[in-house]
Amino acid sequence: MSSREVVTLSVGGVRFVTRASTLQQFPESRLARMLNDGDQEFKLVNGEFFVDRDGTLFSYIMDFLRTLQVSLPTDFSDFQRLCREAEFYELYPLADLLGQEHLLKPRLEILEVRFFLQEMQAFFRIFGSCSGTVETLAEQITVFTGQQSGQSWNSHFPSQKPLVPLPLERPSHHDVVFQCGADYSAGDQFVARYVSIKPDNRKLINGTNVLGLLVDTLLKDGFRLISTRTVSSEDKIECYSFERMQKPASFTITANQNPGSSGIAQAKRSQMQKGK
């Protein structure tokens, strides 16, 4: 390799080693011009380029150049300083995105579970402020139906009889409805609905057991229970409210990187993790 294929930078005393092609991702940036001795801010000392800037924040600059993504810790707060560094290096797509810091900050997410118990049946309705979370949860929940004999609420899954999966009701993108338990059919036959919630493989018919598994699933997914209340004492409708801080999404930046392109490249943001 030639000496310019691998480049060493000292940014505020913090040393970085990278490829020249990485620094040339945006041809009109100061980092690209640095390689052509076109910027006096960067001093070549003993084969290393030195610039008197923040070395800690430059690690995020390098991550952006290597991946064309912005991934910041959930507790990151130096948006203005990082934006200022991006402007210094004339990486305008990054600066434009950081200027919209509300897109990168953690957001409070609310989820509400309504539970209605009536004789041998239980009804569930889940509302969520984040449609992506509701969609993911709906993919985890499966309702199976089939006929069985007997009237026991705690009847075991009748493995000898085939069960048919039922689609969940989706009144909107933000809620999902399902039920479990048994309906009288004919004679001693009952139509039973069993609920399974991945990754748990059990098929549960008891509404209280399903509620316990649902709450446990949400707690493991980072939610915390903040309140319980009775919506209707007459109908025995209970409401469980949960919240969690949703981590900021990563964003993909696509830009015109051809030589001679305008200094302010177009940035396109797209979510890289499920749940928005």
Side-chain angles (χ1 to χ4, degrees), residues 168-186:
L168 299 181
E169 293 182 47
R170 296 297 307 276
S172 75
H173 292 296
H174 289 273
D175 58 343
V176 59
V177 177
F178 62 94
Q179 69 181 83
C180 64
D183 287 327
Y184 176 76
S185 177

Side-chain angles (χ1 to χ4, degrees), residues 3-276:
S3 59
R4 282 297 174 89
E5 288 184 42
V6 175
V7 180
T8 302
L9 298 93
S10 177
V11 183
V14 181
R15 195 167 179 264
F16 297 87
V17 180
T18 186
R19 291 178 178 271
S21 58
T22 300
L23 300 175
Q24 292 169 332
Q25 287 280 8
F26 298 91
E28 293 190 4
S29 70
R30 300 184 75 172
L31 291 170
R33 297 202 307 268
M34 172 192 74
L35 300 179
N36 298 321
D37 300 322
D39 196 314
Q40 297 301 313
E41 189 74 31
F42 299 86
K43 305 296 183 181
L44 189 60
V45 180
N46 297 326
E48 297 184 2
F49 288 98
F50 174 80
V51 60
D52 190 16
R53 304 294 297 189
D54 191 306
T56 300
L57 292 178
F58 190 73
S59 63
Y60 298 112
I61 301 287
M62 285 303 307
D63 184 53
F64 167 69
L65 291 174
R66 287 168 175 151
T67 66
L68 295 185
Q69 296 180 13
V70 180
S71 298
L72 300 173
T74 56
D75 59 350
F76 186 83
S77 60
D78 287 340
F79 289 95
Q80 290 185 346
R81 292 181 60 222
L82 183 55
C83 184
R84 187 167 63 240
E85 293 301 294
E87 290 175 346
F88 170 81
Y89 295 109
E90 297 181 11
L91 292 169
Y92 296 110
L94 177 58
D96 290 343
L97 181 58
L98 291 169
Q100 303 180 60
E101 60 183 79
H102 64 281
L103 297 174
L104 298 170
K105 284 185 175 180
R107 294 182 304 231
L108 182 65
E109 184 178 353
I110 302 296
L111 198 73
E112 184 177 280
V113 176
R114 294 199 174 191
F115 174 62
F116 174 39
L117 191 62
Q118 184 181 49
E119 297 182 351
M120 295 176 65
Q121 297 182 69
F123 301 85
F124 293 83
R125 187 163 191 171
I126 304 172
F127 301 86
S129 61
C130 177
S131 61
T133 297
V134 176
E135 181 67 32
T136 300
L137 191 58
E139 293 173 355
Q140 294 177 258
I141 299 172
T142 306
V143 177
F144 298 90
T145 185
Q147 285 194 335
Q148 71 173 58
S149 299
Q151 302 181 19
S152 174
W153 175 257
N154 292 305
S155 297
H156 294 293
F157 162 54
S159 58
Q160 72 277 14
K161 296 183 179 181
L163 293 179
V164 179
L166 295 176
L168 299 181
E169 293 182 47
R170 296 297 307 276
S172 75
H173 292 296
H174 289 273
D175 58 343
V176 59
V177 177
F178 62 94
Q179 69 181 83
C180 64
D183 287 327
Y184 176 76
S185 177
D188 65 345
Q189 295 293 311
F190 281 75
V191 175
R193 284 188 173 89
Y194 298 84
V195 173
S196 178
I197 305 177
K198 297 178 181 177
D200 193 296
N201 294 320
R202 291 174 297 170
K203 292 179 175 64
L204 304 176
I205 192 173
N206 186 309
T208 303
N209 292 343
V210 173
L211 176 63
L213 178 57
L214 178 59
V215 170
D216 186 56
T217 300
L218 294 174
L219 294 176
K220 289 180 179 178
D221 201 30
F223 282 96
R224 68 184 187 95
L225 181 63
I226 57 174
S227 69
T228 61
R229 69 182 191 277
T230 301
V231 177
S232 171
S233 57
E234 182 177 347
D235 294 330
K236 299 180 180 179
I237 300 177
E238 300 175 359
C239 180
Y240 299 80
S241 298
F242 300 82
E243 71 175 20
R244 73 174 175 183
M245 293 302 293
Q246 184 183 14
K247 294 182 179 181
S250 295
F251 292 86
T252 298
I253 307 298
T254 58
N256 184 355
Q257 297 168 305
N258 296 324
S261 62
S262 62
I264 302 180
Q266 291 184 343
K268 179 183 179 182
R269 297 177 292 275
S270 62
Q271 286 200 350
M272 295 299 294
Q273 67 182 26
K274 209 168 184 180
K276 59 184 178 179

